[in-house]
Amino acid sequence: MISVNKWLSGALILVSGLSACKIYSFKDVSIPAQVKSIHIGYIENRARLINPQLAPQLNDKLRQKINQQASRLSQIQDPGADYDVSGTITDYNYTTSGISQQQVATNRLNVTVHIIFKNHLDPTGKTVAPADFEADVTRNFDFSGNTSITDAEQQLLPTIVTNMTDEIFNKLFSNW
């Protein structure tokens, strides 16, 4: 019984220490105090296959999320803002991801957005983080092999937009 109590005490101290040091955090939005403005350029759809609803909804949702969770930043139309974000949807395709009894059981929709981040205050990120970067954000969305592509797109679009928005936002602002 004593060894279990020691183990629990040690685990509690470890968890407290990790949270106190902010080593382990999922929703930690990190924006330096010097940053006052952000420009969100329109994320264009340049994928080989195009869902005409994806780009407009993704742009709207990203702007809303930044407005809600990084509310002290002024969103401006000028690309010379402190932070400048742009991007393109570079991939939108379907693949078969599962076969059962020699028939398609599961399909997968792959979506990739290429993000370009510019820090006009300090491109190196040495005094005002983060440094300029480019990154791909990719997510996969599975759907039944019995579902048509058109139906799958309609069903998955809200999930795609929400998940891609969260991934892009985390890439821009979170300390993981």
Side-chain angles (χ1 to χ4, degrees), residues 129-165:
D132 290 357
F133 69 86
E134 292 189 31
D136 286 334
V137 176
T138 301
R139 292 292 301 248
N140 301 314
F141 304 91
D142 290 341
F143 61 96
S144 170
N146 297 328
T147 304
S148 73
I149 292 172
T150 304
D151 289 344
E153 283 183 315
Q154 289 177 351
Q155 292 168 7
L156 290 172
L157 188 62
T159 303
I160 292 168
V161 170
T162 298
N163 288 354
M164 295 302 289
T165 300

Side-chain angles (χ1 to χ4, degrees), residues 26-27 29 43 57-58 61-66 68-69 113 115 137-139 141 158-174 176:
F26 286 114
K27 299 225 179 208
V29 175
I43 297 173
Q57 288 187 29
L58 182 61
K61 187 85 169 181
L62 182 60
R63 285 186 175 93
Q64 288 173 8
K65 186 167 184 82
I66 290 171
Q68 292 169 355
Q69 294 191 13
V113 178
I115 297 298
V137 176
T138 301
R139 292 292 301 248
F141 304 91
T159 303
I160 292 168
V161 170
T162 298
N163 288 354
M164 295 302 289
T165 300
D166 290 347
E167 291 282 335
I168 293 167
F169 184 87
N170 288 337
K171 186 68 79 179
L172 297 172
F173 298 111
S174 291
W176 290 86

Side-chain angles (χ1 to χ4, degrees), residues 90-164:
T90 58
D91 190 29
Y92 186 90
N93 70 64
Y94 302 95
T95 58
T96 299
S97 61
I99 295 176
S100 176
Q101 299 177 356
Q102 299 181 1
Q103 293 187 9
V104 174
T106 310
N107 287 314
R108 177 168 290 157
L109 173 59
N110 305 296
V111 181
T112 300
V113 178
H114 182 76
I115 297 298
I116 302 168
F117 175 85
K118 300 279 185 198
N119 178 344
H120 291 289
L121 296 176
D122 180 12
T124 65
K126 291 180 181 175
T127 58
V128 179
D132 290 357
F133 69 86
E134 292 189 31
D136 286 334
V137 176
T138 301
R139 292 292 301 248
N140 301 314
F141 304 91
D142 290 341
F143 61 96
S144 170
N146 297 328
T147 304
S148 73
I149 292 172
T150 304
D151 289 344
E153 283 183 315
Q154 289 177 351
Q155 292 168 7
L156 290 172
L157 188 62
T159 303
I160 292 168
V161 170
T162 298
N163 288 354
M164 295 302 289

